[in-house]
Amino acid sequence: MVQEAFAAAGERFELPPGEVEGPLCADRPCVIEGGGSTLWAAHGPVLTVTSPGVTIRNLRVEVTESGDQTAIQSEAPDLVLENVEVRGDVTGVPGEASHWELPPVIALGDFAAEETNTFALKLHAAGTAELYCGIGGVGVHPARLAEGEQEIGLTAAGLRDNTVLYGDLEVRTKVTRRIAITGRARKDAPHRQEAPPASISEEARSVAVPEAHLAPAVSGVPYMKRGQRAGYEELGGQGVLKAALEHQGFRTQLELDCYLFLLQGNQKVRGDGDLVFFGNRTAADGAMRLSETGEVALLDLGLLEPSIERIAVCWSVYGDEPEKNFSQVQKPVLRIFSGERELCRLKLEDLQVKTLVAVEVYRYKGAWKLNFVGAGYRDGLRRLCGSYGVEVE
């Protein structure tokens, strides 16, 4: 049990990776390091602090069922919270309001593609907070909440037809709470103008993301290096491979698109049908496809025809402006999954390219291996496609 492990630890207690069942009571001075794990319990309080001198870092604390919704309960006035996310209430922390009643999901519905759409939303804030939206092409205003009920605005600017929105609106106090945002841009949908876009201040546009609020890496998941190779099965993979590009938002308005190239032994496609992208979401044999949102690549390696020896998993920044490139993507990370199990990650920072070859999956002596490329082209999509034998008009 987690309480027994805590009792046996010293001044620093590191939770194991993944989900850890609570409750946990911190009854001595210590540092509790979550490393991105989740401490949960069906009912609160999930984490109780009774001693001074406690610091909690990089942890999500979650109540999973109805009843007592206390995620963190503190009796210590000097409790330090660093990069802590909660689903539930926080009580006893000076300066932190209790009993936030935020909706788990805000559904925007369908709205007009290629237009600037604005949405008016009502939130009830238990105290003051900062707002941050990391969804590409979507802004939030104002950037700060006052206590009480108020109206906020979301602006979705110029999204292409059939773009699916899915991401989080973060409400930041001494902890972070998340509201999921969903919606879809469609060319035949109504043009939504519920809140004035002019209310987005320059201050709100330029708010930087504090390091303490960035989602931590999941402890125990290995990080690969650029150019490193590894066997899919050696990493623990079997069946469908999933590849996702995670990031913490954009420094300027960007759109990212995923591209999958099915390649023969000569590193070229057989034809245009071997390119899977937003305009052709599924390969003819069904082995390669993009998720409904277009953000996740799904590779069913067992269905691939023998003539396909390699799959290049790529992303491209939409548009011709040279300044719009991966240097404007905040903390990009490639995440590789087998089913729902995460196998490894690759950091993709410090890139000045417009198109990125994130990873190649290839056959070697009857087994599938991964080559973590992490590099690309400054010249854009035409250069990327041309390198694999696809002509772009």
Side-chain angles (χ1 to χ4, degrees), residues 19-65:
E19 296 186 352
V20 180
E21 184 175 2
L24 172 63
C25 178
D27 54 6
R28 67 173 188 276
C30 63
V31 173
I32 298 176
E33 173 59 56
S37 59
T38 297
L39 180 69
W40 67 274
H43 310 287
V46 181
L47 176 56
T48 302
V49 178
T50 60
S51 169
V54 175
T55 297
I56 304 170
R57 295 176 178 155
N58 303 323
L59 181 65
R60 176 179 170 87
V61 185
E62 180 175 343
V63 181
T64 61
E65 298 182 10

Side-chain angles (χ1 to χ4, degrees), residues 8-307:
E11 296 180 354
R12 180 182 175 89
F13 176 55
E14 295 188 9
L15 276 77
E19 296 186 352
V20 180
E21 184 175 2
L24 172 63
C25 178
D27 54 6
R28 67 173 188 276
C30 63
V31 173
I32 298 176
E33 173 59 56
S37 59
T38 297
L39 180 69
W40 67 274
H43 310 287
V46 181
L47 176 56
T48 302
V49 178
T50 60
S51 169
V54 175
T55 297
I56 304 170
R57 295 176 178 155
N58 303 323
L59 181 65
R60 176 179 170 87
V61 185
E62 180 175 343
V63 181
T64 61
E65 298 182 10
S66 59
D68 188 337
Q69 292 295 298
T70 305
I72 299 176
Q73 179 175 290
S74 175
E75 300 173 9
D78 63 344
L79 173 64
V80 177
L81 300 170
E82 298 179 359
N83 196 19
V84 174
E85 182 179 329
V86 300
R87 181 179 177 184
D89 297 329
V90 177
T91 62
V93 176
E96 178 68 31
S98 302
H99 307 301
W100 284 77
E101 297 180 358
L102 298 173
V105 179
I106 294 176
L108 302 180
D110 290 351
F111 52 89
E114 308 291 350
E115 301 282 356
T116 297
N117 294 266
T118 61
F119 309 87
L121 311 170
K122 287 187 177 180
L123 291 180
H124 183 85
T128 58
E130 292 186 355
L131 294 177
Y132 172 73
C133 184
I135 307 173
V138 179
V140 59
H141 48 285
R144 293 174 177 83
L145 288 178
E147 184 176 356
E149 186 171 306
Q150 60 217 271
E151 185 175 273
I152 66 168
L154 287 181
T155 297
L159 299 183
R160 287 179 292 165
D161 182 40
N162 211 35
T163 298
V164 176
L165 287 185
Y166 187 83
D168 292 323
L169 175 64
E170 297 182 9
V171 181
R172 299 171 174 176
T173 56
K174 291 191 173 182
V175 296
T176 296
R177 299 170 175 86
R178 295 180 184 270
I179 304 171
I181 304 292
T182 66
R184 183 191 297 266
R186 299 179 66 94
K187 62 182 180 181
D188 56 351
H191 185 194
R192 307 276 289 277
Q193 294 179 297
E194 301 169 6
S199 63
I200 307 178
S201 67
E202 288 304 314
E203 178 185 17
R205 293 180 186 272
S206 61
V207 169
V209 185
E211 180 72 22
H213 291 297
L214 296 178
V218 177
S219 178
V221 175
Y223 277 84
M224 314 305 284
K225 296 180 180 179
R226 291 174 186 169
Q228 185 173 349
R229 298 170 186 262
Y232 183 47
E233 292 184 355
E234 293 171 5
L235 291 170
Q238 56 182 351
V240 176
L241 183 154
K242 298 180 183 178
L245 182 64
E246 180 184 79
H247 57 82
Q248 301 298 326
F250 306 124
R251 295 181 177 90
T252 188
Q253 182 178 320
L254 294 180
E255 290 184 52
L256 293 178
D257 296 310
C258 183
Y259 293 81
L260 305 177
F261 296 87
L262 284 68
L263 307 173
Q264 304 173 88
N266 63 357
Q267 308 297 301
K268 303 294 183 182
V269 299
R270 297 168 300 183
D272 290 348
D274 285 344
L275 170 59
V276 176
F277 67 115
F278 60 85
N280 176 38
R281 291 180 174 270
T282 305
D285 58 8
M288 305 290 113
R289 63 186 177 91
L290 299 181
S291 65
E292 183 179 351
T293 64
E295 297 174 350
V296 180
L298 298 100
L299 288 62
D300 194 337
L301 302 175
L303 295 180
L304 271 176
E305 299 178 18
S307 62

